[in-house]
């Protein structure tokens, strides 16, 4: 008769850093109302150590807007989704705003007026 092996001794599931980064970037897109029309989508880099993921999100936002509220929403959504989908603790989500897209210049082709 075969002996039973305890679940903890059977092996481990490892989720690659790039997979966690894709989850984080998608979660950041979910948290934003909209990505600026001429802007790049959010990009994430992740450092995973055991069951802990530290996330850095780079994104572009429309301006004027409540930047602090948008960054807070991104932090909460990224932490929630990475925990939910990858089963990892997320003690840190750093949000870096790379570029602001002014609303008053959107859709206009005005040059400099002399």
């Amino acid at each position: 008769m075969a002996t039973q092996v305890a679940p903890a001794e059977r092996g481990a599931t490892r989720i690659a850093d790039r997979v966690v980064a894709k989850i984080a970037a998608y979660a950041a897109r979910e948290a934003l109302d909209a990505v600026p029309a001429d802007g790049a989508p959010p990009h994430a880099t992740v450092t995973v150590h055991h069951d802990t993921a530290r996330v850095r999100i780079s994104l572009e936002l429309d301006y004027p807007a409540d930047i602090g509220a948008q960054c807070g929403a991104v932090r909460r959504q990224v932490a929630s989704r990475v925990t939910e989908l990858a089963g990892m603790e997320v003690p840190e989500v750093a949000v870096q705003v790379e570029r602001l897209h002014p609303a008053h210049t959107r859709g206009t082709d005005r040059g400099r007026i002399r």
Side-chain angles (χ1 to χ4, degrees), residues 20-31 42 44 57 77-78 81 85:
V20 179
K22 286 183 181 186
I23 292 170
Y26 189 79
R29 278 192 295 271
E30 290 176 342
I57 300 283
Q77 182 71 6
V78 167
R81 296 295 278 170
L85 296 173

Side-chain angles (χ1 to χ4, degrees), residues 25-26 28-29 32 35-36 38-44 57-60 98 101:
Y26 189 79
R29 278 192 295 271
L32 297 173
V35 175
D38 57 340
H43 180 299
I57 300 283
S58 299
L59 48 88
E60 297 182 8
E98 293 287 333
H101 296 267

